[in-house]
């Protein structure tokens, strides 16, 4: 019941079909560009377009012009120093995931950042090593250069140590990832990341966190565990760890536990009191400095035999060319890495762009990361993306632009050139502990499972399959499996949509699913069938079967029965067993129609019923002569709601036309409402209409079609009480009490059937 004083509207207008609406309301002509027009426009260049191209390729120009030195510079300096310290530590730690010497992680925290400063569109993400990407690189590295046994037969490995071979593999792979990302950016295919849903990424990163957890156990426990790649590698790795667990280094275990407990507690305090703290406490850096000092003072390396970072060379190494043989062997692995690295970075960048109200360009981000990885790969760095925790530090400490990122790269450079020797005694178990503590956010995604199961079971299945497949089969195959399951779920939802039969909410022009409300009105002999998805080759048969289910009869079966009955009547008339009289047909013989006879000409049974040579038209819902039995059809009108139909393909068009013809041939009028103009144009262009299927069946709304039907079949409402009536005219009442109409002097009465 409507509350007193609530707004109401009543509209008085004619009943509109698509044809009548087009006659009364002239359309605006719009010139549609041809493919040639688009090509010409693409290759046309002027001063404005050249300026826009320069701004898009160098986004730094757009924000450096508005840089507020007094307000932003101090914040960027504080953020840059804080992020730089974290970047040093994470660079060393995440490099272990890639099975490379730790100091190469410092290269990954420097070279890509410099390029992204000029080419990136996000002002807040911290570019550098990302644990999931490092782990995927490590899988390829250990596959080509295993811990035990000979390396792959690749030209260029001769005379190199195992670590140098691994660096060559990682840098060449990074270069290839950059080429792929740059190519996708140039070809404007940044939209591919949209196929990686949040659910899929969540399941994938959770599985990656499990892999990272297992890979760091050897550093935390102080064990020698060979790198294993391929399906079920995590199971084999755990088997080796459990077999060797009695040989764990107690000193490594104690150091790791202390680091993890302290870092975890302080991080929780940072989160709880972040509104009161000017900057988060850099606890990882503090604990690393303490661990370095204690390890050096008590000589843990010789006294307890723990693994330490060791000698870190000063300065940067000369650039190298990528190895083409490695390109050939790693091309399949590189593509999912290019997608994952970009997808994670773009997702984080999108969050911060919304929060700080600026736009980012997906294609330009691909170009930025592509060039960054090509440049970084030339200088022996790993593929860059963004670490969630590092980006959070850069943003939460007040970073306003990528100047903070540039300053963080300078901090990394200082450590690389001058302070690297201070990290010589740092235990690797400290780095492993830092990595494990930073996995908390990804591992906590397990809490999404109950929520997804309650809200959307297909999404939950995608999450579980992606996570399990990525855990057991490896991250590359797991991502492919998850993407396949996700696309299948989308196809299945479109292939098997939830169709419904609508009915009128009494005394309104609103139509809802008849199962959802109590006071519903469904005129006798009318069905309103809603199609909630696009119609294409994969779901047209399903939709036709659901339509038959809603109607309660098969139009084709009824048509064939009627044509068989007409054959029988003609034969009986010809034999004289049936005669026409003034009161109707007079039977001279009795017996039901034989269903099996005249099966030879099935094509004729699908044609429209023909009464030409009969003395009268047959009333199929009445009593038929000669005890002929034909299914009755209680429906005279069918309304198809196309409001949610966004496109039709050729297969669906043919199937729809066939279904409409079958209904028309059994004397059921078909109306299509709320059809998109694009679909209507396509129907006209594809010669959809003929003598049986006509444009006059299209109406603007369900209510327009219903009023037209009730006018043609007034008997549909004659047996209904006053409560079961549909309003046919409405008048708009505005709060000011005026009519909103072309002629305010014309009254708009409410007329009801």
């Amino acid at each position: 019941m409507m509350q007193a004083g609530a707004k109401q509207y009543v509209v008085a207008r004619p009943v509109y079909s698509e044809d009548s609406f087009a006659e009364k309301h002239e359309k605006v002509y719009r010139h549609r560009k041809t493919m040639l027009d688009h090509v010409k426009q693409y290759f046309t260049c002027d001063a404005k377009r050249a300026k826009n191209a320069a701004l898009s390729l160098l986004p730094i120009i757009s924000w450096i012009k508005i840089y507020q030195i007094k307000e932003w510079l101090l914040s960027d300096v504080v953020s840059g120093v804080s992020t730089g310290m974290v970047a040093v530590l994470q660079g060393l730690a995440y490099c272990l995931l890639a099975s490379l010497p730790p100091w190469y992680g410092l290269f990954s925290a420097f070279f890509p950042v410099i390029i992204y400063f000029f080419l990136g569109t996000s002002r807040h993400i911290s570019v550098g090593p990302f644990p999931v990407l490092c782990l995927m690189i490590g899988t390829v590295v250990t596959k080509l250069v295993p811990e035990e046994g000979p390396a792959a037969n690749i030209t260029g490995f001769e005379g190199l140590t195992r670590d140098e071979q691994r660096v060559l593999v990682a840098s060449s792979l990074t270069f290839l990832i950059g080429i792929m990302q740059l190519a996708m950016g140039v070809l404007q295919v940044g939209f591919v990341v949209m196929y990686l849903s949040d659910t899929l990424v969540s399941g994938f990163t959770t599985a990656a966190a499990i892999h990272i957890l297992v890979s760091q156990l050897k550093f935390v426990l102080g064990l020698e565990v060979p790198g294993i790649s391929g399906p079920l590698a995590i199971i084999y790795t755990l088997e080796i760890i459990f077999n060797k667990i009695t040989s764990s280094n107690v000193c490594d275990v104690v150091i790791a536990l202390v680091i993890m407990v302290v870092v975890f507690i302080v991080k929780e305090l940072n989160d709880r009191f972040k509104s009161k703290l000017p900057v988060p406490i850099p606890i990882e850096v503090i604990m690393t400095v303490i661990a370095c000092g204690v390890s050096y003072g008590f000589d843990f390396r010789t006294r307890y035999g723990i693994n330490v970072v060791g000698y870190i060379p000063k300065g940067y190494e000369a650039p190298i060319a990528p190895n083409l043989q490695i390109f050939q062997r790693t091309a399949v692995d590189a593509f999912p890495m290019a997608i994952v690295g970009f997808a994670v970075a773009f997702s984080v960048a999108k969050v911060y762009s919304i929060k700080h109200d600026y736009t980012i360009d997906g294609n330009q981000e691909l170009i930025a990361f592509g060039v960054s990885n090509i440049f970084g790969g030339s200088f022996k760095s790993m593929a860059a993306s963004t670490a969630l925790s590092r980006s959070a530090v850069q943003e939460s400490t007040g970073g306003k632009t990528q100047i903070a990122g540039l300053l963080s790269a300078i901090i990394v450079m200082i450590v690389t050139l001058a302070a690297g020797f201070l990290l010589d005694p740092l235990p690797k178990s400290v780095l492993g502990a830092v990595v494990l503590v930073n996995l908390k956010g990804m591992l906590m995604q397990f809490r999404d499972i109950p929520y997804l199961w309650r809200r959307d079971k297909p999404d939950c299945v995608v999450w579980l399959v992606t996570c399990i497949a990525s855990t057991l089969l490896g991250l590359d195959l797991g991502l492919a499996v998850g993407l396949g399951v996700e696309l299948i779920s989308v196809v299945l939802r479109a292939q098997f949509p939830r169709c419904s039969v609508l009915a009128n909410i009494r005394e309104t022009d609103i139509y809802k699913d008849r199962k959802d409300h109590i006071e519903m009105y469904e005129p006798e002999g009318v069905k309103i069938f809603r199609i909630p998805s696009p119609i294409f080759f994969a779901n047209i048969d399903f939709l036709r079967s659901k339509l038959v289910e809603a109607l309660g009869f098969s139009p084709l079966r009824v048509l064939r029965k009627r044509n068989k009955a007409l054959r029988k009547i003609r034969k009986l008339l010809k034999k004289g067993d049936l005669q026409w009289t003034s009161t109707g047909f007079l039977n001279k013989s009795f017996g039901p129609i034989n269903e099996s006879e005249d099966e030879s000409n099935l094509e004729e049974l699908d044609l429209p019923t023909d009464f030409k040579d009969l003395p009268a038209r047959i009333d199929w819902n009445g009593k038929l002569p000669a005890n002929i039995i034909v299914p009755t059809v209680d429906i005279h009108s069918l309304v198809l709601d196309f409001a949610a139909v966004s496109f039709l393909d050729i297969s669906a068009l043919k199937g729809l036309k066939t279904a409409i013809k079958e209904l028309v041939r059994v004397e059921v009028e078909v109306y299509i409402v709320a059809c998109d103009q694009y679909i209507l144009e396509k129907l006209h262009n594809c010669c959809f209409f003929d003598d049986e299927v006509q444009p006059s069946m299209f109406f603007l709304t369900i209510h327009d079609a219903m009023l037209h039907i009730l006018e043609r079949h007034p008997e549909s409402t004659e047996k209904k009480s006053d409560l079961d009536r549909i309003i046919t005219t409405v008048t708009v009442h505005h709060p000011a009490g005026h009519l909103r109409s072309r002629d305010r002097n014309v009254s708009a009465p409410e007329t009801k059937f």
Side-chain angles (χ1 to χ4, degrees):
M1 186 174 180
M2 189 166 287
Q3 298 178 357
K7 296 180 181 178
Q8 300 184 25
Y9 79 89
V10 189
V11 178
R13 66 167 177 82
V15 172
Y16 281 128
S17 67
E18 289 285 354
D19 288 345
S20 61
F21 184 82
E23 290 175 4
K24 190 167 184 179
H25 300 275
E26 185 178 354
K27 289 181 64 177
V28 175
Y29 174 75
R30 291 183 295 172
H31 173 69
R32 299 188 182 277
K33 293 182 179 179
T34 63
M35 184 64 69
L36 182 60
D37 293 331
H38 286 289
V39 172
K40 287 180 179 178
Q41 183 180 2
Y42 186 79
F43 288 103
T44 301
C45 184
D46 52 25
K48 182 179 180 181
R49 189 166 186 189
K51 179 183 176 182
N52 292 335
L55 290 175
S56 65
L57 289 175
L58 290 172
I60 184 177
I61 298 174
S62 61
W63 61 261
I64 203 72
K65 294 187 300 183
I66 61 171
Y67 192 81
Q68 302 173 25
I69 296 178
K70 293 182 179 180
E71 289 81 2
W72 292 0
L73 184 57
L74 181 61
S75 298
D76 277 341
V77 170
V78 173
S79 175
V81 173
S82 304
T83 307
M85 292 189 294
V86 175
V88 170
L89 185 58
Q90 290 189 350
L92 296 171
Y94 293 160
C95 203
L96 298 179
L97 296 172
S99 302
L100 299 176
W103 62 85
Y104 285 100
L106 299 178
F107 298 172
S108 303
F110 176 73
F111 290 108
V113 179
I114 301 299
I115 300 299
Y116 190 86
F117 174 77
F118 294 99
L119 301 181
T121 58
S122 175
R123 304 176 193 173
H124 292 87
I125 65 170
S126 175
V127 176
F130 174 53
V132 176
L133 207 54
C134 293
L135 185 65
M136 297 176 77
I137 291 172
T139 303
V140 177
V141 167
T142 53
K143 182 169 62 176
L144 296 182
V145 188
E147 295 277 355
E148 299 174 354
N153 185 19
I154 294 176
T155 304
F157 276 3
E158 300 86 359
L160 299 179
T161 64
R162 190 186 66 182
D163 283 346
E164 290 172 340
Q165 290 174 346
R166 290 187 166 187
V167 169
L168 179 60
V169 171
S171 60
S172 298
L173 179 59
T174 297
F175 198 98
L176 181 58
I177 290 171
I179 291 174
M180 291 180 175
Q181 290 176 331
L182 179 60
M184 288 191 289
V186 171
L187 296 175
Q188 304 284 295
V189 292
F191 63 87
V192 295
V193 73
M194 302 305 173
Y195 291 101
L196 301 179
S197 67
D198 292 342
T199 305
L200 184 142
V201 172
S202 174
F204 177 76
T205 52
T206 304
I210 297 172
H211 279 280
I212 294 170
L213 173 64
V214 173
S215 71
Q216 294 305 290
L217 288 178
K218 65 180 181 181
F219 299 111
V220 171
L221 299 175
L223 299 174
E224 291 291 333
V225 180
I228 302 174
S229 59
L232 301 181
I234 192 171
I235 304 297
Y236 299 136
T237 303
L238 286 172
E239 181 184 10
I240 295 172
I241 290 173
F242 284 125
N243 288 335
K244 293 185 175 183
I245 199 166
T246 54
S247 305
S248 300
N249 190 308
V250 177
C251 184
D252 273 325
V253 174
V254 172
I255 291 173
L257 287 176
V258 171
I259 294 291
M260 283 192 287
V261 170
V262 174
V263 171
F264 178 80
I265 291 174
V266 176
K267 275 181 168 287
E268 290 297 311
L269 293 175
N270 279 339
D271 287 340
R272 179 166 296 184
F273 300 106
K274 61 183 177 182
S275 60
K276 298 180 180 179
L277 293 172
V279 294
I281 301 172
I283 187 60
E284 293 105 325
V285 177
I286 294 172
M287 294 304 295
T288 300
V289 172
I290 294 173
C292 273
V294 173
S295 175
Y296 177 77
F298 291 93
D299 195 13
F300 282 176
R301 177 167 22 188
T302 56
R303 183 176 294 184
Y304 299 108
I306 65 173
N307 289 322
V308 297
V309 171
Y311 173 71
I312 297 179
K314 289 185 178 180
Y316 294 100
E317 300 181 15
I320 59 172
N323 188 295
L324 296 181
Q325 268 192 283
I326 296 176
F327 278 9
Q328 295 174 354
R329 288 175 175 259
T330 60
V332 175
D333 301 297
F335 184 71
M337 295 184 203
I339 296 296
V340 170
F342 168 66
V344 172
F346 185 73
S347 300
V348 177
K350 188 164 59 174
V351 170
Y352 289 130
S353 70
I354 293 172
K355 180 177 179 180
H356 295 280
D357 192 25
Y358 62 90
T359 59
I360 57 173
D361 183 352
N363 292 311
Q364 180 60 28
E365 286 292 291
L366 272 172
I367 293 173
F369 278 104
V371 177
S372 296
N373 286 325
I374 290 173
F375 183 70
S378 301
F379 286 90
K380 302 183 180 179
S381 83
M382 297 178 297
S385 180
T386 183
L388 309 184
S389 57
R390 194 170 62 248
S391 294
V393 169
Q394 181 166 319
E395 191 269 342
S396 62
T397 52
K400 303 296 183 183
T401 64
Q402 280 300 327
I403 287 179
L406 183 64
L407 291 173
S408 73
I410 293 173
I411 298 294
V412 174
M413 182 183 67
I414 293 171
V415 172
T416 306
L417 296 177
F421 69 93
L422 297 175
L423 298 172
D424 184 305
L426 177 65
K428 287 186 178 180
S429 56
V430 173
L431 299 178
V434 170
V435 171
L436 293 182
V437 172
N438 282 299
L439 293 178
K440 178 201 167 189
M442 289 193 285
L443 290 174
M444 292 299 285
Q445 292 176 132
F446 275 110
R447 295 185 301 179
D448 294 345
I449 297 176
Y451 172 82
L452 290 172
W453 184 255
R454 290 192 301 269
R455 300 294 191 275
D456 195 320
K457 289 181 175 58
D459 266 1
C460 186
V461 170
V462 170
W463 195 101
L464 290 172
V465 171
T466 304
C467 184
I468 294 171
S470 299
T471 302
L472 298 179
L473 301 180
L475 296 179
D476 48 355
L477 292 176
L479 180 63
V481 171
L483 185 59
V485 172
E486 181 185 54
L487 294 178
I488 288 172
S489 72
V490 172
V491 170
L492 291 179
R493 293 190 203 201
Q495 186 173 352
F496 304 106
R498 183 185 176 276
C499 302
S500 56
V501 177
L502 308 183
N504 178 252
I505 303 290
R506 291 179 182 175
E507 304 294 332
T508 72
D509 61 346
I510 299 171
Y511 295 81
K512 294 288 185 181
D513 191 331
R514 63 180 181 180
K515 298 178 182 178
D516 293 343
H517 298 273
I518 297 174
E519 294 188 359
M520 307 291 286
Y521 170 48
E522 200 170 4
E524 190 175 327
V526 182
K527 288 286 183 185
I528 308 171
F529 186 73
R530 183 176 183 272
I531 301 174
S533 75
I535 308 176
F536 58 105
F537 65 94
N539 69 0
I540 182 62
D541 291 333
F542 173 79
L543 293 174
R544 289 182 65 178
S545 67
K546 297 300 288 184
L547 178 59
V548 168
E549 182 182 325
L551 292 172
F553 65 89
S554 169
L556 183 59
R557 180 173 175 271
V558 171
L559 178 61
R560 288 176 175 175
K561 287 278 190 180
R562 289 184 178 183
N563 279 325
K564 284 182 181 180
L566 286 176
R567 284 185 181 181
K568 182 69 174 178
I569 291 172
R570 288 189 179 96
K571 286 183 179 180
L572 293 175
L573 287 171
K574 189 175 181 181
K575 291 179 181 179
D577 293 335
L578 188 67
Q579 290 184 353
W580 172 256
T581 66
S582 58
T583 58
F585 286 105
L586 176 63
N587 295 330
K588 292 192 175 181
S589 66
F590 300 92
I593 186 171
N594 187 354
E595 299 288 343
S596 62
E597 68 178 60
D598 293 335
E599 295 290 336
S600 56
N601 298 323
L602 285 177
E603 292 183 2
E604 294 182 5
L605 298 179
D606 296 344
L607 296 176
T609 51
D610 186 5
F611 301 100
K612 285 191 303 185
D613 54 347
L614 294 179
R617 189 178 182 86
I618 306 295
D619 179 10
W620 295 112
N621 289 333
K623 185 177 179 181
L624 300 178
N627 290 337
I628 294 173
I629 301 174
V630 174
T632 59
V633 176
D634 299 325
I635 295 171
H636 56 72
S637 300
L638 169 68
V639 180
L640 298 177
D641 182 7
F642 269 38
V645 179
S646 57
F647 73 87
L648 278 169
D649 66 3
I650 297 299
S651 300
L653 188 145
K654 292 178 180 177
L656 177 65
K657 185 171 183 177
T658 301
I660 292 174
K661 281 192 171 185
E662 290 172 0
L663 287 162
V664 170
R665 289 171 182 178
V666 295
E667 300 172 2
V668 175
E669 299 170 3
V670 180
Y671 302 92
I672 298 177
V673 301
C675 185
D676 186 83
Q677 191 62 34
Y678 160 77
I679 296 178
L680 271 175
E681 291 177 5
K682 185 172 184 178
L683 295 178
H684 281 284
N685 294 335
C686 294
C687 302
F688 181 78
F689 301 106
D690 55 23
D691 292 338
E692 291 178 290
V693 182
Q694 299 180 351
S696 58
M697 68 169 56
F698 288 86
F699 281 77
L700 287 186
T701 68
I702 299 177
H703 204 58
D704 284 300
M706 286 297 296
L707 297 179
H708 175 77
I709 291 168
L710 295 179
E711 184 180 359
R712 286 176 57 86
H713 301 275
E715 70 278 1
S716 298
T717 57
E718 285 176 357
K719 299 179 181 180
K720 297 293 177 180
S721 64
D722 289 337
L723 292 175
D724 292 334
R725 293 175 177 176
I726 296 180
I727 62 169
T728 62
T729 327
V730 220
T731 307
V732 180
H733 295 284
H734 285 277
H738 300 297
L739 292 178
R740 186 175 180 178
S741 171
R742 293 179 183 271
D743 186 359
R744 297 185 184 274
N745 296 322
V746 178
S747 61
E750 294 190 5
T751 309
K752 301 180 182 180
F753 283 107

